[in-house]
Amino acid sequence: MTTHRIDSVRLGLVRLPLKTAISDAKVFTGRQKPLTEVAVLVAEIATSDGYQGLGFSYSKRAGGPGLYAHAREVAPELIGEDPNDIARLWTKLVWAGASVGRSGLATQAIAATDIALWDLKAKRAGLPLAKLLGAHRDAVRCYNTSGGFLSTPLDELLDNAEESLSRGIGGIKIKVGQPDAKADLRRLAAVRERLGDEVTLMVDANQQWDRATAQRIGRTLEQFNLEWIEEPLDAYDAQGHAALAASLDTPIATGEMLTSVAEHWTLIQAGAADFVQPDAPRVGGITPFLRVAALADHAGLRMAPHFAMEIHLHLAAAYPHQPWVEHFEWLEPLWNERLELRDGHMLVPHRPGLGLTLSEFAAAHRTDEVEITS
């Protein structure tokens, strides 16, 4: 049997500007500045048999140049390797940069190449990635987040929600966590009144409450029949999240900020989430994401992966328990393709791999690029 090898790895850093500056609770509490762009690390891996895989990672606010620099240092380890050995190659890259850790920026930098290898493997099989992994469904329930930021005036937020539902999106998430909790409650009440009791609603506090505040506000939020309360506490407060999950009727969702399997295992063992929200680019790629998914499945948890719908649609489709996928259109300018929405669901594309090709916009907004060969 002929073994094909990795001939080249092309890395690029793309600066993706947002149409308007975005603020969530972290901005309202003074911990961050408004978000104006997303930095996207793109990896393209070419093999000796003529196939090419595409993957990406990302950073909001700081970190994009760091992702690119670390990926550039360790990517030469892939040259000449068998692209099928994805798990071994993930471990090889992690250990190549282990002096800066096996989580955080180090794993987010190698996520782009790991995702590219999975895209490549699915393309060689002639299958969408979800089918390669073993899909449980061909469409996944989806909810919109991008229309509900705290920086969005209430009238515009309500219009965004109705527009999302009319496009075929199945749920609406709005941001909370303002210093004045009454302002959050007024916005949420207005959304529920406009959309009615049948529409699925979620809220996201972006880690800005302490335990006492989260408990008190969580009890008040029970009246709105929410699908979940997201990140009510610091992302690493597994015990605090577990206490909320045990005491509230409304489910707790968290996990998006974690950057390793070990961190997710701590969360799951503590019973800290009803919905686990891993992010493949943040946790280090599809290889570790699948490990998190296996742990979550074993615990009987529901899943709602964070951001990067272009990747997470496939991963959610392969999760045994009925998941959600998050609709964020921010990355759409990077691709020539669009995901299809219908009846509250996002449809898994029939195209091989992730089903994505880079657009001219992506090429025009690259600030750094390198091609690594033998």
Side-chain angles (χ1 to χ4, degrees):
M1 181 179 67
T2 302
T3 301
H4 297 285
R5 301 295 178 183
I6 296 174
D7 280 345
S8 68
V9 179
R10 183 186 298 272
L11 300 171
L13 184 64
V14 179
R15 299 282 191 171
L16 180 60
L18 302 181
K19 293 180 179 178
T20 59
I22 300 299
S23 297
D24 57 21
K26 298 186 295 294
V27 176
F28 277 60
T29 57
R31 290 176 171 172
Q32 289 185 340
K33 295 179 180 179
L35 178 65
T36 59
E37 68 174 18
V38 180
V40 182
L41 172 64
V42 176
E44 299 167 273
I45 296 178
T47 63
S48 58
D49 56 341
Y51 283 92
Q52 187 175 87
L54 171 64
F56 67 92
S57 187
Y58 72 92
S59 178
K60 298 174 182 176
R61 299 179 177 88
L67 293 181
Y68 176 77
H70 188 77
R72 181 173 180 170
E73 279 195 284
V74 300
E77 298 289 337
L78 294 173
I79 301 301
E81 289 282 10
D82 185 338
N84 295 297
D85 299 343
I86 302 176
R88 180 178 64 81
L89 295 179
W90 187 88
T91 302
K92 183 179 184 182
L93 292 185
V94 165
W95 282 104
S99 66
V100 292
R102 287 183 282 165
S103 63
L105 185 146
T107 47
Q108 292 175 57
I110 68 172
T113 51
D114 181 82
I115 292 163
L117 287 171
W118 280 102
D119 178 59
L120 172 66
K121 193 166 206 174
K123 286 175 177 174
R124 293 179 73 181
L127 294 171
L129 178 60
K131 296 292 185 181
L132 180 76
L133 296 174
H136 287 267
R137 57 195 65 81
D138 293 324
V140 180
R141 295 180 302 174
C142 65
Y143 69 95
N144 177 263
T145 296
S146 55
F149 276 82
L150 290 175
S151 50
T152 306
L154 179 58
D155 288 347
E156 184 179 339
L157 183 152
L158 295 172
D159 290 342
N160 289 344
E162 289 189 329
E163 193 271 337
S164 292
L165 296 173
S166 70
R167 292 179 58 196
I169 292 171
I172 301 296
K173 187 172 80 180
I174 69 168
K175 299 290 187 173
V176 294
Q178 298 180 75
D180 180 5
K182 294 185 180 65
D184 287 332
L185 295 174
R186 287 194 294 269
R187 282 166 70 90
L188 183 55
V191 173
R192 179 54 88 192
E193 182 179 1
R194 172 77 72 90
L195 301 183
D197 294 334
E198 300 305 313
V199 172
T200 300
L201 293 182
M202 306 85 161
V203 298
D204 183 357
N206 287 110
Q207 309 179 73
Q208 296 309 294
W209 293 329
D210 58 30
R211 291 187 181 188
T213 302
Q215 184 69 55
R216 184 174 62 253
I217 297 177
R219 286 195 297 265
T220 303
L221 293 175
E222 302 277 26
Q223 64 183 299
F224 295 108
N225 190 29
L226 301 174
E227 184 77 355
W228 68 65
I229 301 170
E230 184 171 330
E231 284 198 323
L233 303 170
D234 185 276
Y236 296 102
D237 186 1
Q239 296 302 321
H241 278 102
L244 287 175
S247 63
L248 298 177
D249 291 337
T250 305
I252 298 299
T254 190
E256 69 177 63
M257 297 303 299
L258 305 184
T259 61
S260 71
V261 176
E263 291 168 357
H264 279 279
W265 179 227
T266 298
L267 190 80
I268 291 168
Q269 281 185 305
D274 302 288
F275 284 91
V276 65
Q277 297 184 298
D279 181 316
R282 281 184 175 163
V283 82
I286 292 171
T287 298
F289 183 101
L290 295 176
R291 296 171 187 161
V292 173
L295 294 170
D297 176 27
H298 181 70
L301 300 179
R302 288 171 283 179
M303 179 178 284
H306 169 256
F307 198 62
M309 62 185 183
E310 295 85 355
I311 299 167
H312 291 136
L313 172 59
H314 292 270
L315 303 183
Y319 189 64
H321 311 288
Q322 184 68 249
W324 285 93
V325 68
E326 186 170 26
H327 179 268
F328 254 107
E329 74 282 358
W330 289 359
L331 302 184
E332 285 186 339
L334 301 179
W335 324 117
N336 293 313
E337 300 78 16
R338 294 293 178 267
L339 295 173
E340 186 177 352
L341 306 169
R342 185 184 304 160
D343 300 328
H345 291 72
M346 190 177 292
L347 279 58
V348 176
H350 297 295
R351 301 179 295 273
L354 293 173
L356 299 174
T357 56
L358 289 167
S359 67
E360 292 183 1
F361 179 95
H365 286 76
R366 286 198 184 204
T367 60
D368 298 273
E369 185 174 42
V370 63
E371 183 170 13
I372 300 163
T373 65
S374 56

